[in-house]
Amino acid sequence: MSVFSALLARDLRLALRQSADSLTVVAFFAIATVLFPFGVGPEANILARISGGVLWVTALLAALLSLDRVFTVDYEDGTLDQLVLSGAPLPLVVIAKVLAHWLTTGLALIIVSPLLAITLHLPMEGYAPLLLALFLGTPTVSLIGAVGAALVLGTRRGGVLLALLVLPLYIPVLIFGTAAVESAVTGISSDGPLLVLGGLAVLALTLCPWATSAALRQAVE
Amino acid sequence: MSVFSALLARDLRLALRQSADSLTVVAFFAIATVLFPFGVGPEANILARISGGVLWVTALLAALLSLDRVFTVDYEDGTLDQLVLSGAPLPLVVIAKVLAHWLTTGLALIIVSPLLAITLHLPMEGYAPLLLALFLGTPTVSLIGAVGAALVLGTRRGGVLLALLVLPLYIPVLIFGTAAVESAVTGISSDGPLLVLGGLAVLALTLCPWATSAALRQAVE
Amino acid sequence: MHRFANPTQFMRIANAIFPWAAGLAVVLFVFGLPIALITSPADYQQGDTVRILYLHVPAAIMAELIYYAMAAGSAAFLIWRHPMANLVAKASAPMGAMFTALCLICGMLWGEPMWGTFWVWDARLTSTLIMFFFYLGYLALGDAFEDPERGDRASAILALVGVVNVPIIKFSVNWWNTLHQPASLSLTKSNMTGDMLLPLFLMLGAYSFFYLAVLIIRVRSELLAAKIRNARMSQIAGHEAAQPAE
Amino acid sequence: MTGETNLSQTTTAGSFSGAGLACRRGGRLVFTGLNFKLTAGGALVLRGPNGSGKTTLLRVMAGLTPSAAGTMSWNDKVIDDPDAHARNLRLITHLDAIKPALTVSENLSFWMTLWNKPDDQRLQKALQAFDLSRLASYPARLLSAGQRHRLALARLLVAPAPLWLLDEPGNALDTASRDALARAILAHRAAGGMVIVASHEATFVSDGETLDLGLFTPKTVVHWSDDESVEAAE
Amino acid sequence: MTGETNLSQTTTAGSFSGAGLACRRGGRLVFTGLNFKLTAGGALVLRGPNGSGKTTLLRVMAGLTPSAAGTMSWNDKVIDDPDAHARNLRLITHLDAIKPALTVSENLSFWMTLWNKPDDQRLQKALQAFDLSRLASYPARLLSAGQRHRLALARLLVAPAPLWLLDEPGNALDTASRDALARAILAHRAAGGMVIVASHEATFVSDGETLDLGLFTPKTVVHWSDDESVEAAE
Ligand code: HEM
Ligand SMILES: Nc1ncnc2c1ncn2[C@@H]1O[C@H](COP(=O)(O)OP(=O)(O)OP(=O)(O)O)[C@@H](O)[C@H]1O
Ligand SMILES: Nc1ncnc2c1ncn2[C@@H]1O[C@H](COP(=O)(O)OP(=O)(O)OP(=O)(O)O)[C@@H](O)[C@H]1O
Ligand SMILES: [Mg+2]
Ligand SMILES: [Mg+2]
């Protein structure tokens, strides 16, 4: 457990010392969202219709971009070699790193999402399910992203390759995440989709750390 | 001029030898676009209404992701030091690198865009102006992206920071790019927006290489 | 030029200005706020919500002016390598971001009663939002390097690139907007009277002196921080001298 | 320098050996039929021209790179759990695992916590051993090449481990630091530790055995997916 | 080895000097009031403990890092155009500017084309000088640390330049390669070239002058933004 807390503390300290980082993720989320009115046009009714989907897609892209380098620096400077050699269970190492990442970026995304929803004219009933769905969905996104990030270590175009690997895996999260918002807006209960999102999170937590460890282990060979 | 051609040839050779790279950019473009029917729902009329905008936004994001590392590798392995020390005009070096990048990724994006437009139910009249607008707009996107990529050299979260810096600069391209498609679809001539896109390209070609050189020079200090 | 680049010289001037700037800011706020928020006439159409204008419009003007100040400081830093110019630019950026945020928030709160929505994709609103992103980008880039000196240079270049873009954005967004939706801001412009101009200028003055005072405080604390850093460095260097072993 | 013996004391004195090791990199057999044996207090120097496989062998010994043939043993028991083996060793390569944003002592104490338990006195001694005490509160980004390498080397002393694997540890070090390293190695061995060093230079171990990888050239070139030919080459 | 003289022949024999140089890194004066002078055929060895500023000085000399005070001159004319100065020199640091996806000879011929003109015979000689001929068609990603460094060094010979700036050029080299480097330096100087080497080890130049940066400690600490104190410290 000391490995877990040491690593979590170090990653949080690094993130705090470089606090611009989580701000940057949030800013990307905001800008990418704001691009849509430019592309689609400013009509409120069209924007309201697509707001849930746009918010989810851009949140996924923001999470993805920030995950891109979650292991890269450790890989390039040899920290990963040493972590593998620490003899600690590697899945635990992975969970500590992903948790630090989610605390510093995923949470920030959730917090600003209502503001962005205003600019996209999301109907009033959509806010609560949007927040809940993001809260249940973003950990899954981080966990799946970590698998991809570990797989692309050492390739040249990490970012795009990562997107290619994990975006298809994000589709279930996306479908149920937007379904939660849509059903609330159209007056149906959003319990069903939210339950599925919770289930996906549990599934991701049990499978992804192992897959990530395997990928990390072969990366340092 | 030998600097220009030597660098162009080397970058093209590197891209060909690692041909997965341009494929990856295209794949990101495709997947991000295809996420929208999942997020927004499959109704054809809604999709048709937003198709131009979605294609442009995702093309911008794809270009951005691929630009992220256009100078990073050269920076990290010391090639940039040597290029600055080559005594060749640095703006020329920049143009050679950006041209190589555009030839291997921008062109690929243009080529697949009609296919993706089909999946989003873009009306028939939109295709020609979409292609033309992408052809005039993507060089500007590459040139502006190069400035951002040079500025973020040496930072930890290159990808997201780059997005934050250059996405606001992309807004004019986005507005006129989608305007070209929209006006053609609604039966108006799209000459105006296309002309502006051409103007922006000329402006970018005259300003961006200098800004990029300045950024590169201070990066190697 | 080099005289002014000297921090001691600069601080001498700044320290002389500071009490005046701070004092004027306080006085103008004390007189301006009550006039703006209470005694000025209510609009016959908008009622009391018109008072938001006195917070909103000066904030918008300040946000733009500070951007130009920041760009000018960055240019001086890049061309003549004036560290003080850079300090001024760096100290201005958070203030500019703050005024932009104030303008946006007041505008959104005003939009709700006026237009029935917090936000429309109107030309002015949009270009203000983009300026806000430029401020954020400047701040984030300056903070993103291991080496603070690199951050200074990179963000200075960005500030200059951004200034080229501001007019383009204004123009292009107008063009885009006329396609879809008419401008919304012309209605109150016509009935801007003397009663309204007084509080407007009082608040603009208050904002300006507030900016100046905070700017001086921030530059001063930056200089102090640098001094402390150097004191620590000299301590380390002193040890090094004491230990010839290395 | 009395503190160093204390720093290096090892919990498991033991032996470390390899038999019939072979390794393939990039479709080529780098070495094959390689044997070595090291006992408590022993030292081994890896020599050989550039490209002869010293770095590769160290990574095999650390359990990072799998060997194509052969086995390694710890205390005469075949190593089958790489994690358990990893806890017995420290590997120093030219990748220094230093975070530029953290200070020198934060960098060091992170590894200390990860491997063992926080112990400020030990940390101070490790810093002292490589003359880093006065740099302790420096952010690591300010270090020069040699100072960074010394910080990496100081990791050897923050938590005990019987086996040290050092890849060209003299790189970028000035004379005083070389001496410090030599002393640290001596103390480690005196406490029953083992050291394996790959180096081109005057070595840091005077009385160690030498394993010359240059002798494996000319290398047998085999088809990369053909396991049988590896056996044949042994 | 007769070919090497040919490889190193320089077009502009000259002199290179610096007066009153100072450099600040991370808020600290690394050195100040530094003078040096080098004439055709001359060599200068930079010495000093870790962190004394050898790497920094080499980057200043190359024109990459601006100096905080002082001037440098080429042929007794003050250097004001960094691009023109850059064409007179080759800088070798621990960043090797090698593309792993290209072969050894492709890597080398790119720099040759950039600096001069393609010349296959010269390329072969440069490969030969650092014993890389049999690796010529290897992708560079397969090289070991020392082989990579040799490839970086071979760049010195593909296009003539009167001034060589070498930062710890002996790193990771085996004995044969060290000799090859020493020979290349000799030939370069015999042809009128100048060499500046930063190194902790037995140097590659026997008769060069030595500049000891260790002498600049204790370092004068100045306020980073206060230009006048830099002048004062000189
Ligand atoms: C978030 C929403 C809003 C934003 C971002 C915004 C932004 C701006 C900006 C940038 C200016 C220009 C200041 C200058 O340079 O002269 C401005 C002026 C002004 N705004 Fe707003 N505004 C917003 C909402 C509103 C609302 C709801 C109203 C009231 C109907 C309003 C009324 C005005 C008026 C009367 C002026 C002064 C016009 C002039 O002198 O040109 N604004 N605003
Ligand atoms: N990027 C940087 N930012 C701030 N300070 C730096 C930076 N790089 C080096 N320094 C500082 O400058 C000083 C000189 O460093 P430099 O790398 O030139 O030393 P060196 O003589 O080459 O040492 P070594 O023998 O270890 O390579 C060091 O004290 C170091 O702390
Ligand atoms: N990642 C890799 N992929 C394929 N082959 C590799 C890889 N790394 C090294 N090799 C090959 O393995 C051989 C041994 O390399 P290694 O780095 O172990 O040599 P070394 O003895 O450490 O050399 P040096 O003295 O130069 O450090 C080399 O011939 C090299 O070509
Ligand atoms: Mg090696
Ligand atoms: Mg150095």
Side-chain angles (χ1 to χ4, degrees):
Chain A
M1 209 54 192
S2 87
V3 173
F4 187 82
S5 58
L7 203 57
L8 184 62
R10 187 202 65 158
D11 274 25
L12 287 179
R13 174 177 294 167
L14 278 173
L16 286 183
R17 201 152 296 177
Q18 311 164 343
S19 61
D21 287 3
S22 24
L23 291 182
T24 316
V25 179
V26 172
F28 172 81
F29 183 34
I31 291 176
T33 308
V34 164
L35 282 183
F36 280 90
F38 289 105
V40 172
E43 284 108 298
N45 57 333
I46 293 272
L47 286 176
R49 175 68 192 73
I50 64 170
S51 55
V54 166
L55 281 172
W56 261 102
V57 171
T58 48
L60 286 185
L61 294 177
L64 194 76
L65 277 178
S66 72
L67 275 163
D68 174 15
R69 297 181 72 73
V70 67
F71 298 117
T72 318
V73 180
D74 281 353
Y75 172 72
E76 286 170 355
D77 73 5
T79 302
L80 202 58
D81 282 354
Q82 301 292 341
L83 286 176
V84 170
L85 287 178
S86 74
L90 213 47
L92 204 67
V93 169
V94 170
I95 293 176
K97 284 201 74 78
V98 172
L99 181 58
H101 179 265
W102 183 80
L103 285 175
T104 51
T105 60
L107 265 186
L109 289 185
I110 298 175
I111 291 168
V112 294
S113 58
L115 273 178
L116 295 174
I118 293 179
T119 69
L120 291 178
H121 306 283
L122 179 72
M124 222 41 217
E125 312 76 44
Y127 284 82
L130 174 70
L131 284 177
L132 263 174
L134 281 173
F135 196 80
L136 289 170
T138 44
T140 315
V141 166
S142 292
L143 285 163
I144 295 179
V147 182
L151 282 172
V152 301
L153 279 180
T155 58
R156 289 162 313 274
R157 293 253 173 109
V160 190
L161 190 59
L162 175 65
L164 180 59
L165 292 179
V166 308
L167 280 181
L169 291 171
Y170 282 170
I171 288 177
V173 179
L174 177 62
I175 289 176
F176 292 102
T178 49
V181 182
E182 292 293 303
S183 41
V185 169
T186 51
I188 314 169
S189 153
S190 51
D191 290 355
L194 288 177
L195 221 67
V196 177
L197 282 179
L200 287 175
V202 173
L203 193 70
L205 189 60
T206 41
L207 295 181
C208 292
W210 270 261
T212 311
S213 318
L216 289 180
R217 214 175 269 278
Q218 61 85 26
V220 299
E221 265 190 19
Chain B
M1 210 54 194
S2 88
V3 172
F4 187 83
S5 59
L7 203 56
L8 184 64
R10 188 202 66 156
D11 274 24
L12 288 178
R13 175 177 293 167
L14 277 172
L16 287 182
R17 204 155 292 178
Q18 311 163 344
S19 62
D21 286 3
S22 24
L23 292 181
T24 321
V25 178
V26 172
F28 172 83
F29 183 36
I31 292 176
T33 308
V34 166
L35 282 183
F36 278 89
F38 289 103
V40 172
E43 287 106 297
N45 58 331
I46 293 273
L47 285 178
R49 175 69 191 71
I50 63 171
S51 55
V54 167
L55 281 173
W56 260 103
V57 172
T58 48
L60 284 185
L61 293 177
L64 195 75
L65 277 177
S66 72
L67 274 163
D68 178 13
R69 295 180 74 72
V70 67
F71 298 117
T72 315
V73 180
D74 281 352
Y75 172 73
E76 286 169 354
D77 72 6
T79 302
L80 201 57
D81 283 353
Q82 301 292 342
L83 286 176
V84 170
L85 287 179
S86 74
L90 213 47
L92 202 68
V93 169
V94 170
I95 294 176
K97 283 202 74 80
V98 172
L99 180 59
H101 179 267
W102 183 80
L103 286 174
T104 51
T105 62
L107 265 186
L109 288 185
I110 298 176
I111 291 166
V112 294
S113 59
L115 276 178
L116 295 174
I118 293 177
T119 69
L120 292 177
H121 305 284
L122 180 72
M124 221 42 219
E125 313 77 44
Y127 284 81
L130 175 70
L131 284 178
L132 262 174
L134 282 173
F135 195 80
L136 287 170
T138 44
T140 314
V141 167
S142 293
L143 285 163
I144 294 178
V147 181
L151 282 174
V152 302
L153 279 180
T155 59
R156 292 161 309 272
R157 291 252 173 108
V160 190
L161 190 59
L162 175 65
L164 173 60
L165 298 186
V166 307
L167 281 182
L169 291 167
Y170 282 170
I171 288 177
V173 179
L174 177 61
I175 289 175
F176 292 103
T178 49
V181 182
E182 293 293 302
S183 41
V185 169
T186 50
I188 315 168
S189 154
S190 50
D191 291 353
L194 288 177
L195 220 67
V196 178
L197 281 179
L200 287 175
V202 173
L203 193 71
L205 190 61
T206 41
L207 295 181
C208 291
W210 269 261
T212 311
S213 317
L216 290 179
R217 213 175 268 277
Q218 63 85 24
V220 299
E221 269 192 14
Chain C
M1 218 39 139
H2 262 260
R3 306 251 73 192
F4 204 60
N6 182 325
T8 331
Q9 201 82 5
F10 182 91
M11 280 325 296
R12 200 173 303 138
I13 300 169
N15 283 338
I17 296 175
F18 178 73
W20 294 97
L24 275 172
V26 171
V27 169
L28 287 172
F29 269 121
V30 166
F31 281 95
L33 269 180
I35 296 177
L37 298 183
I38 302 163
T39 63
S40 73
D43 190 79
Y44 73 99
Q45 248 181 348
Q46 308 179 18
D48 287 331
T49 50
V50 73
R51 301 179 198 289
I52 297 181
L53 179 136
Y54 306 121
L55 298 179
H56 165 81
V57 177
I61 293 171
M62 287 305 292
E64 282 169 26
L65 287 183
I66 293 175
Y67 194 93
Y68 290 116
M70 192 175 90
S74 300
F77 173 59
L78 286 178
I79 299 168
W80 298 295
R81 290 198 171 253
H82 266 198
M84 290 313 293
N86 177 55
L87 271 193
V88 169
K90 253 168 69 174
S92 296
M95 300 285 291
M98 193 206 74
F99 278 118
T100 318
L102 184 67
C103 166
L104 284 168
I105 291 168
C106 290
M108 285 172 87
L109 292 179
W110 200 2
E112 169 63 11
M114 291 309 298
W115 305 328
T117 171
F118 287 109
W119 189 265
V120 288
W121 287 98
D122 162 274
R124 254 218 175 128
L125 276 59
T126 309
S127 48
T128 310
L129 185 64
I130 291 166
M131 191 161 64
F132 187 57
F133 287 137
F134 272 117
Y135 276 121
L136 288 188
Y138 179 91
L139 289 170
L141 186 64
D143 215 22
F145 291 90
E146 312 291 0
D147 181 353
E149 287 167 28
R150 285 235 19 226
D152 291 350
R153 294 193 299 265
S155 53
I157 293 174
L158 180 71
L160 286 184
V161 171
V163 86
V164 173
N165 197 55
V166 171
I168 298 181
I169 297 246
K170 272 225 146 100
F171 160 76
S172 66
V173 173
N174 271 317
W175 206 91
W176 166 71
N177 190 56
T178 49
L179 262 185
H180 300 274
Q181 189 183 320
S184 324
L185 293 183
S186 48
L187 58 149
T188 44
K189 177 109 191 173
S190 47
N191 50 22
M192 189 83 90
T193 64
D195 307 349
M196 298 176 74
L197 285 178
L198 174 68
L200 197 64
F201 279 116
L202 283 179
M203 289 308 292
L204 187 60
Y207 280 179
S208 312
F209 287 113
F210 174 70
Y211 162 66
L212 198 60
V214 175
L215 183 72
I216 291 174
I217 294 176
R218 289 186 58 89
V219 170
R220 191 188 290 164
S221 68
E222 274 284 333
L223 285 173
L224 270 180
K227 265 201 185 107
I228 292 169
R229 263 203 310 276
N230 286 335
R232 254 184 52 203
M233 295 283 187
S234 71
Q235 213 176 357
I236 294 163
H239 278 280
E240 192 159 9
Q243 278 189 344
E246 201 188 4
Chain D
M1 289 303 120
T2 53
E4 278 170 21
T5 320
N6 174 23
L7 290 181
S8 312
Q9 91 201 147
T10 55
T11 39
T12 8
S15 77
F16 179 47
S17 61
L21 291 175
C23 189
R24 241 177 350 218
R25 292 311 297 259
R28 207 160 63 107
L29 258 186
V30 177
F31 52 78
T32 178
L34 186 147
N35 303 307
F36 69 90
K37 169 129 191 157
L38 212 63
T39 50
L44 183 65
V45 183
L46 306 183
R47 297 209 164 273
N50 293 142
S52 56
K54 301 178 293 299
T55 303
T56 308
L57 179 56
L58 283 177
R59 291 181 75 86
V60 169
M61 287 170 164
L64 285 174
T65 305
S67 60
T71 54
M72 293 190 299
S73 312
W74 185 259
N75 288 343
D76 298 323
K77 266 182 52 194
V78 170
I79 295 167
D80 44 13
D81 175 3
D83 278 349
H85 178 54
R87 278 187 287 269
N88 287 328
L89 63 88
R90 297 277 170 270
L91 172 69
I92 302 285
T93 64
H94 58 284
L95 293 175
D96 49 25
I98 289 170
K99 295 294 165 193
L102 300 181
T103 66
V104 168
S105 63
E106 280 169 348
N107 264 298
L108 210 50
S109 76
F110 166 67
W111 292 108
M112 174 178 248
T113 326
L114 200 71
W115 286 327
N116 195 12
K117 52 183 191 305
D119 173 351
D120 192 56
Q121 214 188 338
R122 193 182 183 107
L123 187 81
Q124 294 308 330
K125 279 191 188 149
L127 285 172
Q128 232 167 355
F130 288 100
D131 193 21
L132 290 165
S133 302
R134 70 207 157 71
L135 298 173
S137 61
Y138 248 57
R141 76 186 147 76
L142 295 182
L143 301 184
S144 75
Q147 289 165 340
R148 280 179 77 103
H149 190 54
R150 271 148 54 187
L151 175 52
L153 288 172
R155 272 208 303 270
L156 290 171
L157 304 180
V158 292
L163 176 62
W164 289 1
L165 302 173
L166 313 177
D167 194 5
E168 314 206 25
N171 266 359
L173 292 187
D174 56 22
T175 332
S177 314
R178 269 159 218 262
D179 292 347
L181 176 61
R183 277 196 305 272
I185 291 178
L186 266 181
H188 177 64
R189 292 176 58 195
M194 294 177 276
V195 180
I196 303 183
V197 187
S199 177
H200 294 293
E201 309 169 46
T203 167
F204 300 91
V205 268
S206 43
D207 58 340
E209 279 179 66
T210 300
L211 184 63
D212 195 338
L213 288 163
L215 301 179
F216 285 90
T217 46
K219 295 180 179 90
T220 324
V221 179
V222 292
H223 190 276
W224 67 271
S225 60
D226 193 344
D227 265 332
E228 282 174 29
S229 52
V230 175
E231 320 287 331
E234 274 181 57
Chain E
M1 288 301 118
T2 51
E4 278 169 22
T5 319
N6 173 22
L7 289 182
S8 312
Q9 92 201 146
T10 54
T11 39
T12 7
S15 79
F16 179 47
S17 62
L21 292 175
C23 190
R24 249 182 334 228
R25 293 311 296 260
R28 205 162 65 109
L29 257 186
V30 176
F31 51 78
T32 177
L34 186 147
N35 303 307
F36 68 90
K37 169 129 192 155
L38 213 64
T39 49
L44 182 65
V45 183
L46 305 183
R47 297 212 163 271
N50 293 141
S52 55
K54 301 178 291 300
T55 304
T56 308
L57 179 57
L58 283 177
R59 291 181 74 87
V60 169
M61 286 169 164
L64 284 174
T65 305
S67 61
T71 53
M72 295 191 298
S73 312
W74 185 260
N75 288 343
D76 298 319
K77 266 181 54 194
V78 170
I79 295 168
D80 45 12
D81 175 4
D83 279 350
H85 178 54
R87 279 187 286 269
N88 287 328
L89 62 90
R90 297 278 170 269
L91 173 70
I92 302 286
T93 65
H94 58 285
L95 294 175
D96 51 23
I98 289 170
K99 295 293 164 195
L102 300 182
T103 65
V104 167
S105 63
E106 279 169 348
N107 265 296
L108 211 50
S109 75
F110 166 67
W111 292 108
M112 175 178 246
T113 325
L114 201 68
W115 287 326
N116 196 12
K117 53 183 192 302
D119 173 351
D120 193 56
Q121 213 188 340
R122 191 177 184 111
L123 187 82
Q124 294 308 330
K125 279 192 188 150
L127 286 171
Q128 230 168 357
F130 287 100
D131 193 20
L132 289 165
S133 302
R134 66 201 167 76
L135 299 172
S137 60
Y138 256 54
R141 77 187 145 78
L142 295 184
L143 300 185
S144 76
Q147 290 165 341
R148 281 178 77 100
H149 190 54
R150 270 149 54 189
L151 174 52
L153 288 172
R155 273 208 304 270
L156 290 171
L157 304 181
V158 292
L163 176 62
W164 289 2
L165 303 172
L166 313 178
D167 194 5
E168 314 205 25
N171 266 359
L173 291 187
D174 57 21
T175 330
S177 315
R178 269 160 217 262
D179 293 347
L181 176 60
R183 276 197 305 273
I185 290 178
L186 266 182
H188 177 63
R189 291 176 59 195
M194 293 177 274
V195 180
I196 302 183
V197 188
S199 177
H200 294 293
E201 308 169 47
T203 167
F204 300 92
V205 267
S206 42
D207 58 340
E209 278 177 69
T210 302
L211 183 63
D212 195 338
L213 287 164
L215 300 180
F216 284 92
T217 46
K219 292 175 181 96
T220 322
V221 177
V222 292
H223 191 279
W224 66 269
S225 58
D226 193 340
D227 267 331
E228 283 175 24
S229 52
V230 175
E231 322 286 332
E234 276 180 54

